[in-house]
């Protein structure tokens, strides 16, 4: 029993490593790019002759800053996919796709409920955010991890499912994104009310 629990915890730990491995590179890109495109830095160190807005070097540094920021802005999605990959037993690419789909479906369900309740203005202050252009609740990386774990559990249970011959096209790995869509639609609705 103890060994089984330890084994599961090791798999969870390994599944976190994929998205976490991106953070140092994203941090360097964001830090260097933001530092050298900051007007105060340019003025303080007299870099205006080398780095000017619209110039080649400024553009490269701005690209670095924005690409690093893109990773940090979408950490929850990266964790949803990374944890699903790490915890899936087989067919890991299907788990990754299902993690992304589940994350998007959950946030879209929440977004529709926010709009139905009167929009962002009617929500508590600082309780909403935008994730991939979808207005949703501020749930952070934790919910990406929860999505990844749930998707992995659904994936491991259903990736070998055999449906009746009429529906056989939707069986096996094709069933996983379908079941994740339905489950995370419900999870999104429940999360809004929690």
């Amino acid at each position: 029993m103890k060994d089984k629990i330890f084994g599961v915890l090791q798999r969870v730990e390994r599944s976190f490593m994929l998205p976490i491995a991106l953070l140092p590179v994203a941090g360097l890109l964001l830090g260097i790019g933001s530092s050298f495109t900051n007007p105060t830095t340019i003025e303080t160190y007299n870099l205006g002759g080398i780095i000017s807005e619209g110039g080649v070097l400024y553009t490269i540094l701005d690209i670095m800053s924005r690409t690093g920021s893109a990773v940090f802005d979408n950490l929850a999605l990266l964790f949803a996919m990374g944890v699903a990959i790490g915890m899936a037993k087989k067919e890991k690419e299907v788990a990754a796709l299902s993690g992304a789909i589940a994350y998007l479906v959950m946030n879209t369900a929440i977004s529709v409920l926010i709009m139905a309740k009167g929009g962002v203005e009617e929500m508590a202050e600082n309780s909403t955010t935008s994730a991939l252009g979808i207005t949703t609740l501020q749930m952070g990386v934790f919910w990406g991890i929860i999505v990844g774990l749930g998707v992995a559990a659904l994936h491991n249970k259903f990736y070998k499912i055999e449906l009746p011959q009429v529906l056989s096209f939707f069986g096996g790995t094709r069933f996983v994104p379908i079941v994740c869509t339905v489950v995370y639609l419900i999870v999104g609705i429940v999360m809004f009310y929690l």
Side-chain angles (χ1 to χ4, degrees):
M1 177 72 176
K2 185 176 160 182
D3 290 338
K4 186 174 182 177
I5 292 172
F6 186 69
V8 169
L9 290 175
Q10 277 187 319
R11 282 186 33 221
V12 170
E13 178 187 346
R14 280 193 310 264
S15 70
F16 284 16
M17 288 301 129
L18 183 60
I20 288 174
L22 292 170
L23 298 182
V25 173
L28 284 171
L29 289 171
L30 179 61
I32 292 170
S34 294
S35 295
F36 288 105
T37 56
N38 184 327
T40 306
T41 303
I42 293 171
E43 184 180 321
T44 302
Y45 294 105
N46 298 320
L47 299 173
I50 302 169
I51 304 170
S52 60
E53 197 166 335
V56 173
L57 186 55
Y58 184 92
T59 302
I60 291 169
L61 291 166
D62 194 32
I63 290 169
M64 290 172 62
S65 172
R66 290 175 191 248
T67 54
S69 181
V71 171
F72 285 104
D73 291 346
N74 297 299
L75 268 181
L77 174 63
L78 297 175
F79 270 91
M81 294 173 68
V83 171
I85 290 170
M87 296 298 291
K89 293 178 182 173
K90 303 270 185 186
E91 305 288 343
K92 293 178 181 275
E93 63 279 0
V94 175
L97 176 64
S98 299
I101 291 168
Y103 181 78
L104 292 171
V105 166
M106 180 185 73
N107 283 315
T108 302
I110 292 169
S111 178
V112 170
L113 289 170
I114 289 172
M115 295 308 148
K117 293 291 184 180
V120 174
E121 299 79 26
E122 297 298 317
M123 302 296 292
E125 190 174 336
N126 297 324
S127 66
T128 62
T129 188
S130 179
L132 300 167
I134 303 168
T135 301
T136 188
L137 295 176
Q138 179 76 290
M139 297 187 291
V141 173
F142 177 71
W143 289 112
I145 294 168
I146 295 300
V147 168
L149 291 171
V151 165
L154 290 168
H155 175 272
N156 290 337
K157 183 173 184 169
F158 292 114
Y159 79 97
K160 289 183 179 178
I161 193 169
E162 291 184 24
L163 298 175
Q165 189 171 3
V166 175
L167 300 172
S168 64
F169 175 79
F170 300 106
T173 57
R174 291 185 187 114
F175 187 74
V176 176
I178 295 167
V179 74
C180 288
T181 298
V182 172
V183 168
Y184 278 92
L185 174 79
I186 296 165
V187 168
I189 293 168
V190 169
M191 293 315 304
F192 177 78
Y193 289 106
L194 288 180

